Amino acid sequence: YLVPGTSEFDGGRRDLPPSAHYTGPCLWEEQADRSPVESLRQALPGRRLVLVTEGSLYSGDATLLRTAASGLANKPMNVLMLALYKRNPASLNPGDLAATMRIGEWAPLGEILPFCDAIVACGDSETTMAALAAGVPMVAVPEILDQPEVAMCLANSGAGIRIPARRCSPARLAAAVDLVLNDPTYRANATRISARMAEYNGGERAAELLGALVEP
């Protein structure tokens, strides 16, 4: 069993069988022609950047983006919102966006996260692992599948804040984003987890473990 995380993020578990191995994040991304961060930084320089992303899985209503558009409007930060993978941003109708906000199509996070000061997402494992691997603190708003459990691990690690989707109002989301931006312990914990994840080598470690199963 390959677990794409670390023991520390998983609550320091010591009860796993010998056949279970942590590998760190195993991430693969498409390459974008041009990162949407560049246009945002050129238009709105000198502000911290918060990324809000729907991820690539959940296909329901774009509640998270609309909540962020309302709660983070005119805050002292730039906000880049990315629609669900293959969802047309024009179909979201987020209302009139503040001058500090941009909305666009899904883009590879690896090209965006190095510029981010915080990320808001649903807490899916891929986005959470990508954010922590980059040392970026997160506000997670879980909705489906394993998102609540991943978001709980995030909160317990000290690298982010968990807000259940049913309780995520614009004001509460804004307060959580302010906290992860202004309390340095969230960034410090994300950086600590990032360093630990790097020790596992992700895909390389997974390949080694799989290769060891093949008899010479």
Side-chain angles (χ1 to χ4, degrees):
Y1 296 90
L2 303 182
V3 184
T6 70
S7 173
E8 294 80 1
F9 184 75
D10 205 16
R13 292 183 61 178
R14 297 292 185 269
D15 60 341
L16 297 180
S19 57
H21 302 271
Y22 291 101
T23 65
C26 298
L27 303 171
W28 177 86
E29 293 184 331
E30 299 176 8
Q31 296 299 308
D33 295 332
R34 184 169 184 266
S35 170
V37 172
E38 291 304 317
S39 60
L40 185 64
R41 295 177 70 204
Q42 292 171 10
L44 303 166
R47 288 171 172 253
R48 290 181 292 184
L49 175 62
V50 175
L51 172 66
V52 183
T53 175
E54 290 190 288
S56 59
L57 177 63
Y58 181 56
S59 59
D61 187 63
T63 303
L64 181 63
L65 295 188
R66 294 194 182 98
T67 301
S70 175
L72 303 181
N74 301 314
K75 302 283 286 184
M77 62 187 73
N78 290 332
V79 179
L80 174 61
M81 298 187 292
L82 299 181
L84 181 78
Y85 183 61
K86 294 187 178 180
R87 193 205 296 267
N88 183 356
S91 69
L92 298 179
N93 298 318
D96 295 331
L97 294 179
T100 55
M101 294 181 167
R102 298 289 186 274
I103 189 168
E105 297 179 348
W106 180 91
L109 296 185
E111 300 183 12
I112 300 174
L113 286 169
F115 302 99
C116 294
D117 296 283
I119 178 173
V120 177
C122 292
D124 61 280
S125 57
E126 181 181 6
T127 302
T128 303
M129 291 296 104
L132 293 178
V136 180
M138 173 185 283
V139 176
V141 186
E143 296 190 49
I144 59 172
L145 301 176
D146 64 341
Q147 293 174 0
E149 183 176 359
V150 173
M152 184 173 296
C153 288
L154 172 76
N156 291 340
S157 75
I161 295 174
R162 172 181 177 269
I163 306 176
R166 66 184 182 279
R167 301 177 61 189
C168 186
S169 66
R172 189 169 187 181
L173 180 63
V177 171
D178 282 339
L179 187 57
V180 298
L181 285 175
N182 296 310
D183 185 339
T185 59
Y186 290 100
R187 169 68 73 165
N189 285 323
T191 301
R192 171 181 54 82
I193 294 172
S194 174
R196 182 63 177 132
M197 286 179 168
E199 296 176 7
Y200 284 86
N201 288 328
E204 291 184 15
R205 176 60 176 156
E208 291 174 358
L209 290 165
L210 291 173
L213 298 176
V214 182
E215 294 184 0

